[in-house]
């Protein structure tokens, strides 16, 4: 049976992974499209061969995997290359993510996607939860998590929807500008609300 799906989105470093980890502790089935995006380019998969053909062997690690740092630099400084990669990967990612969502047995399932609004997938989920933080905090958290430059994070940010655009499509908003204890409390509140919406169905 098709699950009732909550789309969980937010820009880079907004806290989507931290939020979904709390939902997971409450027993909610979830799929993160960033994880699916890694599986579809594993060594031996056709998508990885297509990427190497277009960009050259320089995008592969000595072990034959995708060199994600090289790829990050390539695609966030060239919108045409990013579009090419998205057109290759997004249909594969969507198909895999839907298959994995269907495997859960909780009252609802969560699809974590940084590009839910950008890809139009907000129209295919039952409800949209946006994790929202002020941009300065988002950049600060992403820089310290990824040990990367602020310029690199800002390049990624500019490839994503603006905060306002994302919030326009939100049914619910979790403002993640406080500590992790606050985040946990907010997740519990939202979870109880979603259970009520689902009429207590397990
Ligand atoms: C460029 C890649 C190899 C960089 O890998 P890396 O391990 O450094 O980052 P990771 O995949 O964990 O992504 C980190 C964050 O970058 C942002 N991001 C990734 N891809 C995109 C994109 N196409 N557009 C805008 N932001 C993106 C998201 O906020 C994401 O959460 C990778 O992000 C990728 O394959 N992107 C293309 C696939 C895609 O669009 N994924 C986004 C979800 S469908
Ligand atoms: N409330 C919070 N207090 C302190 N640190 C936080 C909080 N929420 C998230 N963080 C930290 O901020 C960083 C970014 O959070 P997280 O990785 O969950 O973001 P994300 O939205 O999943 O990012 P991406 O789009 O890159 O996958 C992480 O190091 C995380 O531990």
């Amino acid at each position: 049976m098709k699950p009732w799906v909550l789309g969980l989105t937010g820009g880079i470093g907004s806290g989507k992974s931290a939020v979904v980890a709390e939902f997971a502790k409450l027993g909610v089935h979830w799929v993160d499209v960033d994880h699916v995006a890694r599986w579809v380019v594993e060594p031996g998969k056709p998508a990885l061969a297509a990427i190497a053909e277009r960009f050259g062997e320089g995008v592969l690690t000595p072990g034959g995997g995708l060199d994600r740092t090289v790829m990050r630099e390539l695609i966030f400084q060239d919108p045409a290359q990013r579009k090419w990669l998205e057109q290759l990967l997004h249909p594969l990612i969507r198909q895999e993510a839907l298959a994995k969502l269907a495997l859960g047995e909780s009252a609802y399932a969560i699809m974590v996607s940084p590009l839910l609004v950008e890809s139009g997938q907000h129209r295919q989920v039952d409800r949209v939860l946006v994790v929202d933080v002020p941009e300065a905090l988002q950049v600060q958290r992403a820089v310290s998590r990824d040990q990367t430059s602020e310029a690199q994070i800002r390049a990624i940010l500019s490839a994503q929807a603006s905060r306002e655009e994302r919030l326009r499509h939100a049914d619910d908003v979790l403002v993640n500008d406080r500590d992790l204890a606050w985040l946990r409390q907010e997740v519990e509140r939202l979870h109880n609300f979603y259970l009520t919406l689902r009429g207590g169905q397990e």
Side-chain angles (χ1 to χ4, degrees), residues 9-109:
T9 191
I12 184 163
S14 56
K16 297 178 297 295
S17 305
V19 168
V20 84
E22 296 303 326
F23 276 105
K25 285 182 198 160
L26 300 170
V28 183
H29 177 63
W30 61 281
V31 173
D32 186 330
V33 300
D34 278 344
H35 299 173
V36 179
R38 287 169 190 260
W39 299 327
V40 300
V41 296
E42 275 174 353
K45 299 269 173 71
L48 185 59
I51 292 170
E53 193 178 325
R54 182 176 176 100
F55 295 98
E57 300 290 309
V59 298
L60 299 179
T61 61
L66 182 64
D67 189 326
R68 307 186 70 85
T69 309
V70 169
M71 209 60 209
R72 218 186 221 229
E73 273 160 23
L74 270 174
I75 71 156
F76 292 113
Q77 66 186 17
D78 187 337
Q81 303 288 34
R82 178 165 52 81
K83 288 272 169 277
W84 181 87
L85 186 67
E86 289 176 355
Q87 274 166 18
L88 172 74
L89 298 184
H90 285 186
L92 301 172
I93 294 170
R94 190 169 310 134
Q95 197 183 353
E96 277 284 322
L98 289 176
K100 288 187 185 300
L101 275 172
L103 298 177
E105 288 181 351
S106 48
Y108 64 98

Side-chain angles (χ1 to χ4, degrees), residues 9-20 32 34-35 72 112-114 131 133 137-138 140-146 153 156 160 174-184:
T9 191
I12 184 163
S14 56
K16 297 178 297 295
S17 305
V19 168
V20 84
D32 186 330
D34 278 344
H35 299 173
R72 218 186 221 229
V112 185
S113 171
V131 185
V133 286
L137 187 54
Q138 183 183 359
Q140 184 194 316
R141 284 180 179 164
V143 165
S144 78
R145 183 198 58 189
D146 295 351
I153 298 300
I156 296 177
Q160 300 187 339
L174 194 164
V175 183
N176 185 23
D177 62 354
R178 293 169 63 174
D179 60 12
L180 291 168
W182 156 261
L183 182 151
R184 197 166 303 130

